[in-house]
Amino acid sequence: MTAPTILITGCSSGIGYHCAHALKKRSWRVFASCRSQVDCERLAAEGLESARLDYCDQASIAAAVDGVLKATDGRLDALFNNGAYANPGASEDLATEHLRRLIETNFIGWYDLTRRVVPVMRSQGSGRIVNCSSILGFLGVRFAGAYVASKFAVEGWTDTLRLELKGTGIHVSLIEPGPIESRMLDNARDRFMRTIDVKRSPFRHEYAREYSRISSGSRSSRFKLGPDAVLAKLVHALENPRPRARYRVTVPTHVGAWLKRLLPTAALDRVLLRQR
């Protein structure tokens, strides 16, 4: 039988990197995309088929899809939207230009890529679309407004897409990780230092405390899991005849979903404020 094909974004490190290699071992034909050509070449040297795909560059999205379809004779069995980043900072401190770029990367690019893939899957009569959201796709926390906004958008859009594609043979799922071992936190800290004027911020003292917790690794470390935890949910979403609409990963995500369902808003706000 021909190996099933999947396009995965954000494969330079972390969840995408791990899942790309693991799915190849499970006999998937994996197209692992990265924003940087250098990273694509590194993945190719490791034995993966790789394509450059920058969610902020429509031409690169189109070229990546065209390249994958050419290599597979026009077939694509699955898409895993995973590439994203965080830019921490209070809403009044983060300039609109930085929000705009983040939304372009974390949501609009996903929308563009998915629209190009859906007609292929529709013509096949089958396909799997898996979007990697976050616990912050259903819970808001301070100093993460841009990332929260992007993930809330992903969640609402994915729910809509699932309804629109009902009966087509295309299954749509969300994965909602909590803290996962990756470089995302380090990258987010670097962006924070580049984009936020801490000295002029009304939150400068709280930023200092938060930065200290992140740097020490104490924040959420006891609940942090490796990317294998996400891989297990991704495999189910891709290979099970009845994939779920949502897959929650890590204790904080399960607890957060439970609290949001049970607590009134004011009580939930008090819980979330204590987590900072």
Side-chain angles (χ1 to χ4, degrees), residues 213-228:
R213 284 197 293 269
I214 292 173
S215 297
S216 69
S218 63
R219 185 166 167 262
S220 301
S221 59
R222 61 180 170 147
F223 296 116
K224 191 173 289 186
L225 298 178
D228 258 337

Side-chain angles (χ1 to χ4, degrees), residues 183-217:
R183 293 194 336 222
M184 190 171 195
L185 201 57
D186 291 334
N187 293 337
R189 183 179 58 217
D190 293 342
R191 284 194 181 89
F192 171 81
M193 298 306 295
R194 292 198 307 269
T195 59
I196 302 298
D197 187 349
V198 176
K199 291 181 180 179
R200 294 178 179 272
S201 172
F203 298 102
R204 55 189 174 276
H205 299 302
E206 290 164 282
Y207 284 158
R209 289 194 295 271
E210 181 69 7
Y211 186 89
S212 176
R213 284 197 293 269
I214 292 173
S215 297
S216 69

Side-chain angles (χ1 to χ4, degrees), residues 33-88:
S33 77
C34 305
R35 183 173 55 87
S36 164
Q37 184 61 36
V38 172
D39 287 326
C40 291
E41 292 168 2
R42 172 171 55 87
L43 295 185
E46 295 173 5
L48 290 169
E49 296 181 78
S50 187
R52 180 181 171 275
L53 192 157
D54 183 345
Y55 277 130
C56 286
D57 180 356
Q58 283 190 321
S60 81
I61 296 173
V65 172
D66 289 346
V68 169
L69 295 178
K70 183 177 180 180
T72 64
D73 293 325
R75 184 170 187 88
L76 185 63
D77 296 294
L79 169 65
F80 181 32
N81 278 308
N82 167 71
Y85 71 91
N87 197 148

Side-chain angles (χ1 to χ4, degrees), residues 6 20 25 38 42 51 67-68 88 94 100-101 111 127 154 160 162 186 241 250 269 272-273 276:
I6 183 170
K25 291 178 182 177
V38 172
R42 172 171 55 87
V68 169
L94 185 68
R100 184 174 288 115
R101 184 168 183 83
Y111 185 96
V154 165
T160 299
R162 187 181 66 252
D186 291 334
T250 74
D269 284 352
L272 294 173
L273 285 169
R276 303 303 297 191

Side-chain angles (χ1 to χ4, degrees), residues 15 80 130-135 151 155 173-177 229-235 237 245-249:
I15 291 170
F80 181 32
V130 185
N131 291 333
C132 193
S133 181
S134 167
I135 183 176
K151 290 304 183 182
E155 294 255 339
S173 299
L174 276 163
I175 298 179
E176 299 169 326
V230 177
L231 172 65
K233 305 301 185 182
L234 177 60
V235 168
R246 275 175 170 75
Y247 295 87
R248 296 188 172 115
V249 186

